[in-house]
Amino acid sequence: MIIVLDIDAATEELERDLHDRGYVVHILKGDDHILLYVMGDTTELESRALNAYDGVKNVLRTKDPYRYVNRSLFADRPLRIGKKPFSEMKPFIIAGPCAVESREQIVKIAEKVASAGAHALRGGAFKPRTSPHAFQGLEREGLMHLRKAADAFDLFAVSEIMDKEDLPFFEEHVDIIQVGARNMQNHDLLKALGKAKKPILLKRGFANTVEEWLLSAEYLIMHGNRDVILCERGIRTFDSATRHTLDLNGMLYAKQITELPVIVDPSHAAGDYRLVEGLSKASIAAGADGLMIEVHNNPFQAFSDGAQSLKPKRFEKLMKAIAVYTE
Ligand code: PEP
Ligand code: MN
């Protein structure tokens, strides 16, 4: 890390504090500035806090703020979903309704997505709805319907957790535990999921930077769970033409920093089923490790996110369309 100070700044206090914290500091005096080159693990140092010292003009990080996500984590123990190596299932396709609405609904959709070639069945049972008046999910009963439907068609089950108290139930009944965009920075939840015995699908918050997203993954790994899959799902921008804006830059940028798999959810990004196939092709062509797609047998009647849900036939078409990029 390099700290840039005014030429007449008193550096003693800053130097002493850095030494006390175990850092080695080299000083360079130029014509206009003083530079402090700070050596050691600077991930714990907050740039903002350093700005409080007298005369500090700028703080430049020369290293990533990560200790885990930028390492090779899977060399000795490749990521597995259930018993299957993740690498053998790329692109990993998760498909299913926004929410589990009934046993019949999830079974019907499971059959369709399985026959089209999906690996995993999604379905929210605990729904993080913007309005408290909207359908909140079938909760534990819904999760059991999801599990049974997934098992019937040899699919993995993926569902979103909102409360750490539900973790034992999720560990028992799903194969991948999803953290939704709204909970990406729920650090208490992340710490609890660090102890989970199942892989975590960490969605990016729609108002979060890539760095914040990766630092949330860092929480999971630091607290014991390195089985993390990242999911870009669109961010909020000035343009309200679509629900969100799919940030393929962010997906690719994340992939440059980490070896964790990064998948894309074009359904929540677009909010419109007509854009989902194109965004899926773009994501896979660009190198995403998988997709999460909302599929509903009757989108018009869906309890949530019908406008962005594909009918099974369209999902089948999408699967054929992306195969071109992976052969
Ligand atoms: C979801 O996948 O069901 C969901 C609510 O998505 P997000 O958290 O990305 O909004
Ligand atoms: Mn949804």
Side-chain angles (χ1 to χ4, degrees), residues 250-269:
M251 183 277 287
L252 284 170
Y253 185 75
K255 280 188 71 67
Q256 290 209 329
I257 293 172
T258 186
E259 285 179 13
L260 295 173
V262 188
I263 72 164
V264 169
D265 169 355
S267 306
H268 288 89

Side-chain angles (χ1 to χ4, degrees), residues 1-4 14 18 21 42-53 56-65 211:
M1 172 179 276
I2 296 165
I3 305 174
V4 184
L14 176 54
L18 289 168
R21 291 180 66 169
T42 53
T43 50
E44 274 175 29
L45 283 179
E46 277 189 54
S47 312
R48 239 176 256 284
L50 294 169
N51 278 313
Y53 283 87
V56 171
K57 294 195 74 174
N58 206 353
V59 178
L60 307 168
R61 272 196 191 281
T62 52
K63 274 197 236 159
D64 290 340
E211 184 173 310

Side-chain angles (χ1 to χ4, degrees), residues 98-102 105 124-139 302-304:
C98 183
V100 179
E101 297 169 7
S102 68
Q105 173 243 21
F126 295 84
K127 294 302 300 174
R129 304 304 299 282
T130 301
S131 165
H133 311 299
F135 175 62
Q136 304 285 305
L138 297 181
E139 304 192 338
F303 292 2
S304 58

Side-chain angles (χ1 to χ4, degrees), residues 3-158:
I3 305 174
V4 184
L5 297 108
D6 288 328
I7 190 69
D8 54 357
T11 59
E12 295 77 14
E13 194 185 357
L14 176 54
E15 277 182 72
R16 196 188 53 238
D17 287 354
L18 289 168
H19 279 138
D20 287 353
R21 291 180 66 169
Y23 296 106
V24 174
V25 181
H26 292 289
I27 305 184
L28 186 67
K29 276 201 172 159
D31 289 339
D32 304 317
H33 297 104
I34 302 172
L35 304 182
L36 296 195
Y37 186 66
V38 186
M39 290 165 67
D41 181 356
T42 53
T43 50
E44 274 175 29
L45 283 179
E46 277 189 54
S47 312
R48 239 176 256 284
L50 294 169
N51 278 313
Y53 283 87
D54 182 46
V56 171
K57 294 195 74 174
N58 206 353
V59 178
L60 307 168
R61 272 196 191 281
T62 52
K63 274 197 236 159
D64 290 340
Y66 319 111
R67 281 189 203 163
Y68 302 101
V69 295
N70 52 351
R71 301 253 166 87
S72 194
L73 296 165
F74 297 122
D76 56 329
R77 190 182 58 86
L79 171 65
R80 285 174 186 275
I81 311 296
K83 293 197 171 70
K84 285 196 199 165
F86 183 86
S87 60
E88 288 174 18
M89 296 186 278
K90 285 206 276 186
F92 188 70
I93 309 295
I94 305 169
C98 183
V100 179
E101 297 169 7
S102 68
R103 195 176 61 81
E104 295 69 32
Q105 173 243 21
I106 194 70
V107 169
K108 260 187 206 157
I109 298 170
E111 182 190 359
K112 298 291 187 195
V113 302
S115 74
H119 301 96
L121 179 67
R122 64 153 286 148
F126 295 84
K127 294 302 300 174
R129 304 304 299 282
T130 301
S131 165
H133 311 299
F135 175 62
Q136 304 285 305
L138 297 181
E139 304 192 338
R140 291 187 176 210
E141 188 196 340
L143 214 57
M144 293 307 297
H145 292 329
L146 177 78
R147 175 76 270 165
K148 286 187 186 138
D151 286 344
F153 298 98
D154 202 18
L155 294 163
F156 295 113
V158 184

Side-chain angles (χ1 to χ4, degrees), residues 291 294 315:
L291 296 169
E294 285 191 336
F315 175 64

